[in-house]
Amino acid sequence: MQSETILEGVLLKRSQQKKKISPANYKERLFVFTQRSLAYYDFDKEKRGCRKGSIDIKKIRCVETVNPEECTPVERQYPFQIVYKEGLLYVYATNQENRRQWLETLLKEIKDNPFLLNKYHPGFFTNGKFLCCNQSCKTAPGCAIWEPYNTLRDPSNSKEHLPGNLKPKRPSLPPIPGEGKSSLGIAVAEHDYGPQDKSDISLMKNQKYHISSDKDPDWWKVGDADGKETGRSEDTSAEKERLQDYEWYVGDISRAQCEQLLRQKGKEGAFMVRNSSQVGKYTVSVFSVAVENKSGAVKHYHIHTNSENKIYLAQDHCFDSVPKLIIYHQHNSAGLLTRLRHPVSTKAKKVPSTAPLGNGPWELRRTDIVLTKELGSGQFGVVQLGKWKGEYDVAVKMIRESSMSEDEFLEEAQVMMNLSHPKLVQLYGMCTEKYPIYIVTEFMSNGSLLSYLKDHGKELQPFQLLEMCYNVCEAMEFLEHHQFIHRDLAARNCLVDNDLAVKVSDFGMGRFVLDDQYISSVGTKFSVKWSAPEVFHYSKFSSKSDVWAFGILIWEVFSLGKQPYELYDNTQVVEKVSQGYRLYRPQLSSEEIYEIMCSCWNELPEQRPTFHQLLSWMESFREDDSDDRP
Ligand code: 746
């Protein structure tokens, strides 16, 4: 069945750079947009040739302009992007009007799509990272609000049903690309908007405003379109920037995540301030041990505004700004459950990707690292928390002599340093000139996933468990794509970050272990319970044997850190698994998730799914789950 063409035209298409780093190329394609798909074709004298690709319109999640790259030729002045379930397409319109027409038409057709995004990337993804935010994962969540989302989802009738991170944040200002010199673009106000405090300017419906700064994803600095005076839109930059500076301000996190972090802190008066589901409002969340008998409770207080535009938690105590209000309540409970005693933060100082790291390509100065606390010991020795250059948290593996095959490791280190993904624990560098050798990595404040599940698993909801597995799957898909085998994937070798994101650690490190008990498949330290049959029989490692281990990891997560095949020793596991015996379905796992685990445990490696497939299956469950989120 053919569906009717809505819009058709020749546009320049940028190659999709499926490999992480490959040069971009640009081809003219005939784009045909129907009610079903956006397809693009070869063409010859306007005649449609071979179909080169097609996107199902139901899978489109965002269509928006892209900031043009510097020094672009004329034919690439009007880029726009189509974000869809499996990818990201960049297309260049022929002129401003042509781009507006495409965007408007696309938007009209996708407006009821179920999984529209509320954030997008204003910059191109080029050479392995987004120019706007430097994130290196092509599927990384957007870093700027996608305004049409708010317009499409009428906040007045639907926001209660949306998951926290999709809730509209402020009145809509749909961006219209501008040509002004000192302006980043022009915005047209959709509604009248009255000032909320004295730093606000009022906005008039249909009036144009220049955007003079879009640094903050949530707020624009705007002036009137004549460019006369640059005022500030809404409660804005100054205030917002100040909020960001406080450790207690955590921005957009879900209620469940917030409660999890506060309970985990476990201290009377642990608190944080987060964005409320209401436009431009904030919520103060506080933990108190003194209520609900033993386990304590988290209370959420909305910051209210009175008729004089002052804000308050307790009516008798009003302030002009959130920081002032918080400072007051740090000293006075004034009607709250407890005073705000212990700020809980999701911010940790991580080494920025732009930081110059050291002398050689990986050598760090030992004197730049101050070791502060022992974190535990691993196969190579003690691991310490450290501060690099007095500022950044790092984890330091102090390599015990004769525990590691160092020459082989150093040969491979450059490859590992270049494996950079938000869900892989980043290797920063090494100090190799004397013993103990230091291996310096990103620091993950919540320790190993296994211990986290054992200590805190009961506090997590199933969607959070799924999210943890999804994080691991993202990292593993990246490794699979780079043909890099982990060889020892298990919950004990994953780490939990301060925001509860899970990252994969110690990938490929098993190859450098000098310990027969670890290497030999009959050794006491060999991970038999995570090994595929071809691994424990013939040491045949592959991405498919990583997939087997991933199935076991999902089982560990949904069993909250139980030991797999609890009642069997390694020899019995080899025997049972070879006979076709598999782990049972953990109580917290749905049938669908159990099916995913079982697919990872197919006896034949080639019949197991790839991580790429797993990621898309899990993604569909994530979406189904999102209704359960608070
Ligand atoms: C860390 C690791 C990876 C090992 C041992 C000890 C600590 C570690 N902990 C971190 C962290 O951010 N990083 C590392 N394991 C290994 O070194 C290892 C070596 C080789 C292998 C496996 C593992 C192979 C066998 C695969 C070759 C922590 N973070 C943060 C906090 C705490 C512990 C660790 C990068 C902690 O003390 C929070 C957790 N906690 C207690 C309080 O609650």
Side-chain angles (χ1 to χ4, degrees):
M1 196 183 72
Q2 278 267 307
S3 76
E4 227 172 275
T5 300
I6 303 169
L7 188 59
E8 183 176 313
V10 174
L11 302 171
L12 200 61
K13 174 185 158 291
R14 182 170 135 135
S15 58
Q16 294 213 43
Q17 288 192 297
K18 292 254 163 76
K19 287 217 180 76
K20 195 173 176 201
I21 299 186
S22 58
N25 66 56
Y26 305 88
K27 294 211 169 94
E28 282 197 318
R29 296 280 180 226
L30 177 66
F31 278 78
V32 179
F33 183 41
T34 67
Q35 267 154 349
R36 287 232 302 270
S37 70
L38 175 66
Y40 43 95
Y41 300 82
D42 251 347
F43 69 101
D44 184 26
K45 300 191 190 76
E46 301 290 301
K47 246 188 73 188
R48 193 188 285 189
C50 257
R51 193 175 91 175
K52 290 295 187 182
S54 166
I55 300 171
D56 179 348
I57 79 161
K58 292 225 172 51
K59 294 188 175 173
I60 298 181
R61 297 172 156 186
C62 168
V63 291
E64 184 51 279
T65 56
V66 195
N67 296 336
E69 287 174 288
E70 279 169 23
C71 311
T72 41
V74 279
E75 70 274 17
R76 300 211 300 266
Q77 294 289 336
Y78 303 101
F80 63 97
Q81 56 185 305
I82 296 147
V83 187
Y84 58 104
K85 191 165 177 214
E86 295 90 1
L88 175 53
L89 182 70
Y90 293 120
V91 186
Y92 299 83
T94 46
N95 57 44
Q96 181 126 311
E97 172 53 23
N98 177 244
R99 175 164 74 174
R100 192 202 55 74
Q101 188 188 17
W102 272 100
L103 287 176
E104 197 175 284
T105 313
L106 284 160
L107 210 56
K108 210 151 98 195
E109 293 302 317
I110 66 162
K111 71 178 184 346
D112 295 321
N113 281 5
F115 305 122
L116 292 181
L117 300 174
N118 64 339
K119 290 193 169 184
Y120 79 110
H121 292 281
F124 277 105
F125 188 83
T126 291
N127 294 334
K129 62 177 193 219
F130 281 103
L131 296 177
C132 39
C133 58
N134 273 335
Q135 293 192 81
S136 58
C137 175
K138 212 171 184 175
T139 52
C143 59
I145 296 286
W146 184 45
E147 277 305 330
Y149 177 86
N150 292 344
T151 327
L152 298 176
R153 296 278 180 269
D154 178 3
S156 62
N157 55 34
S158 63
K159 75 179 174 194
E160 287 314 317
H161 307 294
L162 292 170
N165 62 347
L166 292 182
K167 287 181 183 170
K169 293 179 77 176
R170 61 170 182 179
S172 304
L173 292 170
I176 293 185
E179 293 153 324
K181 285 197 191 73
S182 61
S183 168
L184 296 165
I186 290 180
V188 179
E190 272 237 321
H191 313 282
D192 287 336
Y193 186 78
Q196 303 256 305
D197 69 25
K198 55 183 180 292
S199 67
D200 279 5
I201 64 167
S202 53
L203 303 177
M204 268 157 60
K205 188 174 172 180
N206 295 331
Q207 184 72 43
K208 288 180 183 173
Y209 297 88
H210 272 296
I211 304 164
S212 60
S213 166
D214 62 356
K215 292 234 160 41
D216 188 309
D218 297 342
W219 307 95
W220 283 329
K221 240 180 202 176
V222 299
D224 65 30
D226 302 332
K228 272 186 234 138
E229 199 180 333
T230 311
R232 284 191 278 135
S233 141
E234 298 154 28
D235 98 357
T236 107
S237 330
E239 172 80 358
K240 272 294 257 205
E241 274 158 24
R242 268 186 276 136
L243 268 192
Q244 314 280 19
D245 291 343
Y246 290 90
E247 57 176 331
W248 39 254
Y249 177 65
V250 298
D252 272 326
I253 69 168
S254 73
R255 188 178 163 128
Q257 235 173 3
C258 154
E259 292 190 1
Q260 172 67 14
L261 290 165
L262 292 175
R263 281 182 190 284
Q264 191 184 311
K265 182 88 177 180
K267 286 189 174 167
E268 177 71 11
F271 78 99
M272 56 174 65
V273 179
R274 60 195 174 91
N275 293 344
S276 141
S277 52
Q278 272 183 43
V279 179
K281 300 249 153 119
Y282 304 95
T283 302
V284 181
S285 302
V286 196
F287 177 78
S288 173
V289 277
V291 280
E292 289 182 16
N293 49 55
K294 311 178 284 292
S295 63
V298 175
K299 283 248 182 232
H300 304 276
Y301 298 96
H302 294 297
I303 299 184
H304 298 284
T305 310
N306 68 13
S307 54
E308 288 158 10
N309 259 332
K310 298 266 188 209
I311 57 170
Y312 64 92
L313 285 176
Q315 239 156 359
D316 300 341
H317 305 280
C318 301
F319 306 89
D320 320 317
S321 74
V322 177
K324 282 183 190 150
L325 175 147
I326 296 299
I327 291 163
Y328 175 80
H329 285 285
Q330 284 183 303
H331 301 281
N332 306 280
S333 59
L336 307 187
L337 199 60
T338 160
R339 72 182 169 86
L340 308 176
R341 290 165 196 261
H342 303 282
V344 171
S345 181
T346 55
K347 300 181 186 102
K349 264 221 141 149
K350 297 234 177 190
V351 176
S353 57
T354 49
L357 276 169
N359 322 328
W362 64 62
E363 193 70 22
L364 303 177
R365 254 196 303 270
R366 207 175 276 255
T367 49
D368 283 345
I369 303 168
V370 177
L371 304 175
T372 55
K373 180 181 148 190
E374 189 168 319
L375 296 172
S377 7
Q379 188 61 45
F380 302 120
V382 170
V383 182
Q384 300 248 19
L385 170 62
K387 274 258 186 258
W388 180 67
K389 298 207 162 170
E391 203 174 353
Y392 304 103
D393 288 329
V394 291
V396 181
K397 281 195 174 68
M398 302 169 75
I399 307 302
R400 212 178 339 108
E401 243 181 295
S402 4
S403 66
M404 175 188 262
S405 162
E406 287 146 22
D407 290 351
E408 277 179 72
F409 173 69
L410 291 175
E411 224 167 273
E412 181 71 7
Q414 186 70 56
V415 172
M416 293 166 69
M417 292 236 344
N418 286 338
L419 287 174
S420 190
H421 183 276
K423 299 294 160 19
L424 285 178
V425 174
Q426 179 68 45
L427 177 59
Y428 290 143
M430 278 152 286
C431 306
T432 60
E433 86 292 3
K434 63 173 189 199
Y435 282 108
I437 287 180
Y438 285 2
I439 298 179
V440 182
T441 70
E442 175 178 3
F443 170 66
M444 304 279 289
S445 64
N446 275 310
S448 91
L449 173 59
L450 182 62
S451 55
Y452 194 87
L453 289 165
K454 288 180 177 169
D455 297 345
H456 299 285
K458 291 215 175 81
E459 302 151 20
L460 298 168
Q461 298 174 24
F463 87 83
Q464 291 174 296
L465 299 175
L466 182 65
E467 206 58 23
M468 291 178 146
C469 298
Y470 186 83
N471 289 168
V472 173
C473 196
E474 284 177 278
M476 293 308 298
E477 189 217 22
F478 176 84
L479 291 183
E480 173 183 77
H481 181 78
H482 287 80
Q483 290 157 23
F484 192 99
I485 309 168
H486 189 300
R487 291 165 187 257
D488 202 355
L489 179 62
R492 65 180 171 281
N493 291 329
C494 296
L495 292 162
V496 182
D497 212 348
N498 49 6
D499 62 356
L500 305 189
V502 175
K503 301 194 186 189
V504 171
S505 174
D506 293 297
F507 35 98
M509 293 297 283
R511 292 169 298 166
F512 315 116
V513 173
L514 295 175
D515 177 343
D516 291 343
Q517 294 302 323
Y518 177 80
I519 302 162
S520 160
S521 62
V522 290
T524 48
K525 295 183 188 162
F526 186 87
S527 321
V528 173
K529 293 181 173 185
W530 284 260
S531 296
E534 71 276 13
V535 169
F536 57 64
H537 287 311
Y538 331 105
S539 304
K540 190 177 178 318
F541 290 95
S542 64
S543 290
K544 295 290 186 151
S545 64
D546 279 350
V547 165
W548 180 292
F550 179 63
I552 309 285
L553 180 144
I554 307 178
W555 186 92
E556 293 182 272
V557 170
F558 281 89
S559 309
L560 309 184
K562 267 214 179 100
Q563 168 81 220
Y565 318 97
E566 212 169 10
L567 304 173
Y568 295 115
D569 64 22
N570 284 354
T571 322
Q572 290 168 312
V573 169
V574 169
E575 193 181 296
K576 288 282 183 188
V577 170
S578 304
Q579 289 165 357
Y581 176 95
R582 296 292 182 268
L583 288 165
Y584 59 88
R585 177 174 69 81
Q587 271 182 11
L588 292 171
S589 155
S590 63
E591 286 295 344
E592 288 107 319
I593 289 166
Y594 185 55
E595 270 175 39
I596 292 190
M597 295 179 216
C598 290
S599 72
C600 298
W601 304 326
N602 197 304
E603 189 180 342
L604 301 172
E606 61 278 11
Q607 291 193 3
R608 293 173 210 148
T610 59
F611 283 108
H612 188 75
Q613 279 167 318
L614 287 163
L615 197 65
S616 82
W617 293 348
M618 296 183 69
E619 187 169 11
S620 64
F621 295 142
R622 274 174 101 200
E623 289 158 355
D624 296 347
D625 259 18
S626 62
D627 282 348
D628 302 339
R629 280 177 226 181

